[in-house]
Amino acid sequence: MNPQIENNFMYHAPKEGQPEKYEAIREKAKELAHMIDELCPNSREKSVAMTNLETAVMWANASIARN
């Protein structure tokens, strides 16, 4: 068995202090999302920026949960 695969595909219950870290990351990302929404014209590029911001938040949170 590959321990990395096992870790990546299991449920990780939040440990002490993790929910606050998730919230801090989400709040900062939300600030940037509002800025992108206000400053960038509606376009494919804006949509990609928003999608990648969401992706960054998900991976950041995964790094906290998995490690």
Side-chain angles (χ1 to χ4, degrees):
M1 250 198 271
N2 182 322
Q4 177 96 35
I5 291 173
E6 292 301 313
N7 186 55
N8 289 353
F9 292 93
M10 65 181 289
Y11 172 71
H12 299 277
K15 296 180 177 85
E16 184 178 337
Q18 287 180 328
E20 294 82 5
K21 291 177 182 180
Y22 299 144
E23 183 62 29
I25 290 169
R26 280 194 306 269
E27 282 301 312
K28 287 294 182 183
K30 186 165 60 171
E31 286 179 32
L32 181 54
H34 282 296
M35 181 183 286
I36 291 169
D37 190 47
E38 291 170 16
L39 299 178
C40 299
N42 289 332
S43 61
R44 177 184 172 277
E45 293 81 4
K46 178 179 176 176
S47 295
V48 171
M50 290 294 209
T51 298
N52 283 321
L53 181 57
E54 290 177 28
T55 301
V57 169
M58 286 188 289
W59 281 115
N61 285 343
S63 76
I64 293 167
R66 293 177 180 178
N67 299 291

